[in-house]
Amino acid sequence: MTMPNNNDVSASSDSDTNVRIRNAINELHVRYRDLHEGAVADYIPELSKVDPDLFAISVVTIDGEQYSVGDDGHMFTMQSIANPFVFGMVLDAIGRERVREFVGVEPTGNPFNAIVLDRTTHRPMNPMVNAGAIAVTGLIPGDNPTDRLNRMLATLGKYIGKVPDVDSEVFMSEKSTGDRNRSIAYLMRNFGTFVRDIDEVLDQYFQQCAVSVTCRDLACMAATLAAGGVNPHSGERAISRTALRDVLTIMYTCGLYESSGTWVHGVGIPAKSGVGGGLLAVVPGKMGIAIFSPRLDKQGNSVRGVRVCTDLARSLNLHLFVAGDESVANEDLAQGVNHG
Ligand code: GLU
């Protein structure tokens, strides 16, 4: 028998939904604020200085309603959360066929910073891990490095509603310690999949990783992706629908490093995490979700971020292959299936 599902955000009025979102994030903040598992990233020295207890959850709906709890105004660096946005920018600038000459779309079971290329094509596996992200950064159009940086910041600004800054200390910290990324870039140049000056591209990659945002900003960015590419606060289009499809697809299959399979199995929505402690998730046609909590698991994902999203997906019935299907959602809840 199909029972009405009071948790399904797709099956309720706007005001009910909004109350449920607000209650859910407040409860989850309380549930996980004493969780201290994981460790902050310290391979970029500046990141190790962050207060590990910071914790924020923000949601922006496609109508522009914003819900937030915790340290939602604290600035932190996007790190590889910038990757899908730069990927989208480059898709729109030079077209998907050209981009595919430089980067694949296959999930990787390797760590995000693996010095590995696809064995057959010699391209990086996908644009969400470092190798692919660096290759994509190398495709940003522009007349010179400053022009390219400004274009990238302007694009991110469309999602946020204002042009963001680069945290120069985090940038310099990664630039001075980023030999692993340098190795990846040299490997790509060896195979002819790198067209620009290595130092220039790496500088820009380190700058994009060091873009500073708040959890509220990140939720607005996610909501823009959820709203067909249009920022729900400003009404400005940030990405074409065609590029958006590719961005969400890659986020879905590759967004959480080597935990991407576990993520789609348990949470089931496109997402991207970064070693700065941010995690962004997109519920297409509904809302953007962001969590900031700097303690990371072994794969580099925010521990609290993953827990919060897993619980939120369950309580609001967000998994893409369950959303709207009341019987499945109820059966799932009744049987206590563990998504995690
Ligand atoms: N800037 C970081 C690096 O290149 C980004 C890693 C991440 O957030 O996945 O190592």
Side-chain angles (χ1 to χ4, degrees):
M1 186 174 68
T2 301
M3 301 285 287
N5 175 9
N6 293 329
N7 294 310
D8 183 355
V9 297
S10 63
S12 48
S13 74
D14 281 358
S15 58
D16 288 350
T17 301
N18 296 351
V19 170
R20 268 205 294 281
I21 293 170
R22 191 173 45 237
N23 290 345
I25 68 169
N26 287 338
E27 278 168 27
L28 288 168
H29 197 268
V30 172
R31 189 178 303 163
Y32 289 120
R33 71 184 167 204
D34 295 325
L35 175 68
H36 300 303
E37 273 173 36
V40 300
D42 57 6
Y43 74 98
I44 300 172
E46 199 61 27
L47 293 185
S48 68
K49 297 181 184 167
V50 70
D51 174 358
D53 291 327
L54 289 164
F55 184 24
I57 308 172
S58 294
V59 169
V60 173
T61 68
I62 59 161
D63 304 322
E65 296 290 332
Q66 175 125 28
Y67 305 94
S68 234
V69 55
D71 305 300
D72 61 344
H74 185 87
M75 307 289 290
F76 58 98
T77 54
M78 292 184 78
Q79 299 301 327
S80 67
I81 300 176
N83 297 352
F85 298 96
V86 176
F87 178 52
M89 171 191 179
V90 168
L91 284 170
D92 272 334
I94 66 172
R96 134 190 250 239
E97 297 314 316
R98 182 84 177 128
V99 175
R100 286 292 304 277
E101 289 171 23
F102 294 88
V103 64
V105 292
E106 298 301 339
T108 152
N110 297 316
F112 65 91
N113 57 3
I115 308 174
V116 172
L117 302 176
D118 184 298
R119 256 186 242 185
T120 317
T121 64
H122 304 306
R123 294 174 312 193
M125 297 295 287
N126 70 68
M128 299 297 108
V129 292
N130 290 13
I134 294 166
V136 169
T137 299
L139 299 173
I140 294 176
D143 297 334
N144 53 58
T146 308
D147 184 31
R148 287 191 268 276
L149 173 64
N150 288 337
R151 284 179 191 230
M152 187 264 293
L153 292 173
T155 299
L156 296 177
K158 290 182 189 171
Y159 291 90
I160 299 170
K162 64 177 188 317
V163 177
D165 291 322
V166 172
D167 181 324
S168 52
E169 278 158 15
V170 174
F171 163 60
M172 287 309 296
S173 183
E174 186 165 15
K175 180 178 161 79
S176 60
T177 55
D179 284 344
R180 229 187 142 86
N181 286 323
R182 232 162 251 123
S183 309
I184 293 171
Y186 278 103
L187 185 64
M188 290 194 287
R189 189 168 76 176
N190 174 63
F191 287 111
T193 52
F194 209 78
V195 287
R196 286 211 182 110
D197 176 70
I198 282 183
D199 288 327
E200 189 232 300
V201 174
L202 282 173
D203 271 2
Q204 178 144 22
Y205 170 74
F206 296 144
Q207 284 164 327
Q208 93 188 26
C209 289
V211 166
S212 255
V213 290
T214 66
C215 193
R216 294 171 75 93
D217 293 335
L218 218 50
C220 188
M221 299 180 87
T224 303
L225 296 176
V230 176
N231 182 322
H233 289 152
S234 68
E236 186 174 16
R237 175 162 290 285
I239 181 172
S240 73
R241 282 193 170 272
T242 325
L244 176 65
R245 190 192 66 176
D246 284 355
V247 168
L248 290 177
T249 305
I250 301 295
M251 286 171 70
Y252 193 73
T253 53
C254 310
L256 266 83
Y257 312 124
E258 329 95 278
S259 307
S260 296
T262 307
W263 174 267
V264 292
H265 179 252
V267 185
I269 49 178
K272 184 71 193 88
S273 58
V275 297
L279 196 160
L280 157 161
V282 180
V283 191
K286 295 196 178 74
M287 69 184 92
I289 302 165
I291 295 111
F292 169 55
S293 174
R295 287 197 182 89
L296 309 178
D297 62 19
K298 295 221 156 38
Q299 287 76 33
N301 301 310
S302 166
V303 173
R304 283 178 180 146
V306 171
R307 299 276 180 97
V308 166
C309 270
T310 304
D311 290 7
L312 203 57
R314 215 159 152 192
S315 66
L316 298 181
N317 196 18
L318 302 179
H319 195 297
L320 290 188
F321 304 143
V322 176
D325 187 338
E326 296 168 15
S327 56
V328 174
N330 278 307
E331 190 179 298
D332 193 20
L333 290 172
Q335 292 181 358
V337 173
N338 184 355
H339 283 308

